[in-house]
Amino acid sequence: MNNILSRIRKTLIENADEKTRNQSEYFFKEQVTVYGVKSATVQKISKEIFAEIMHKPKAEIFAECEKLWQSGYMEESFVACDWSHRLNKKFEPADFEILERWIKNYVSNWASCDTLCNHTVGDFVRMYPEFLAKLKELAHSEKRWVKRAAAVSLIVPARKGLFLKDIFEIADILLMDSDDLVQKGYGWMLKAASQANQQAVFEYVMGKKALMPRTALRYAIEKMPDELKKQAMQK
């Protein structure tokens, strides 16, 4: 494993271009550190190198992921997210401590947040739903990305009709948050839930719309029929 990270970094640098770097920096409100590599290229690099290490112990691969997160480069965080997700069949309850540490200490933009949480954390809580309580704890954080993580970790389960009660509880915790990226995060979670539970999500939105920020409301109803959208948007 000694030269794996050096190879990843060398390959990312070789595939970077100024146009992609400038676009990435423009795309985020917060300052991001990027090489300037297209997402599809990062995915290809990640997949190819993972094939060489996939038979290593999970703990060793997680340790390399941690180093990738620590670099601060967004593309390296994407590799870490990809590798951790590829290990999903080997997840154990104790792994949540690692995932939680990454969320709290390293996630610093919405792209890294969503890439980690939609897939790796989403798969984890589907395997171990007792950790939904931990997501609710994260929703009470003072940190923007930790709060968003609590919601977007349930995007994929929500689409499958899972954890509706917990989704509403997390939405309740985040309901009046003033941060637009947190609002978009839990609004997206509700939108995903509406794909399998449209009526229940509509009723939830109608019951909360007097308090729910319009940004979250628009996200939540985006997939609903026009008539339901119209009712929800009426003041």
Side-chain angles (χ1 to χ4, degrees), residues 70-216:
Q70 288 170 345
S71 77
Y73 276 90
M74 188 159 62
E75 291 94 342
E76 293 192 35
S77 80
F78 290 166
V79 176
C81 293
D82 181 52
W83 287 4
S84 60
H85 184 239
R86 290 177 186 277
L87 293 170
N88 61 1
K89 290 182 171 57
K90 299 180 180 180
F91 287 166
E92 301 167 275
D95 294 332
F96 189 81
E97 184 178 337
I98 296 169
L99 303 181
E100 185 177 30
R101 182 170 69 245
W102 294 350
I103 291 168
K104 289 182 174 179
N105 295 341
Y106 306 129
V107 170
S108 59
N109 60 74
W110 61 261
S112 294
C113 180
D114 298 356
T115 305
L116 174 64
C117 295
N118 284 180
H119 306 293
T120 302
V121 183
D123 280 4
F124 181 90
V125 295
R126 273 195 290 165
M127 291 174 70
Y128 302 107
E130 61 268 30
F131 283 87
L132 288 162
K134 287 287 190 179
L135 293 186
K136 292 166 196 171
E137 289 178 18
L138 295 182
H140 284 288
S141 173
E142 294 182 0
K143 294 183 177 180
R144 154 190 276 183
W145 304 120
V146 178
K147 289 185 285 189
R148 183 178 172 100
V152 301
S153 292
L154 293 181
I155 297 296
V156 177
R159 289 176 183 149
K160 298 177 183 296
L162 301 174
F163 308 141
L164 188 62
K165 175 177 175 289
D166 304 281
I167 285 166
F168 288 155
E169 288 179 14
I170 289 173
D172 281 345
I173 295 167
L174 300 175
L175 187 67
M176 298 177 67
D177 198 279
S178 60
D179 190 314
D180 69 322
L181 285 166
V182 175
Q183 295 169 15
K184 290 173 181 177
Y186 86 78
W188 182 19
M189 174 184 67
L190 290 170
K191 174 173 66 176
S194 77
Q195 293 177 237
N197 292 285
Q198 180 179 280
Q199 186 60 33
V201 174
F202 177 70
E203 290 173 3
Y204 175 86
V205 169
M206 292 300 288
K208 305 288 185 177
K209 71 174 191 172
L211 298 174
M212 187 182 290
R214 302 295 271 186
T215 296

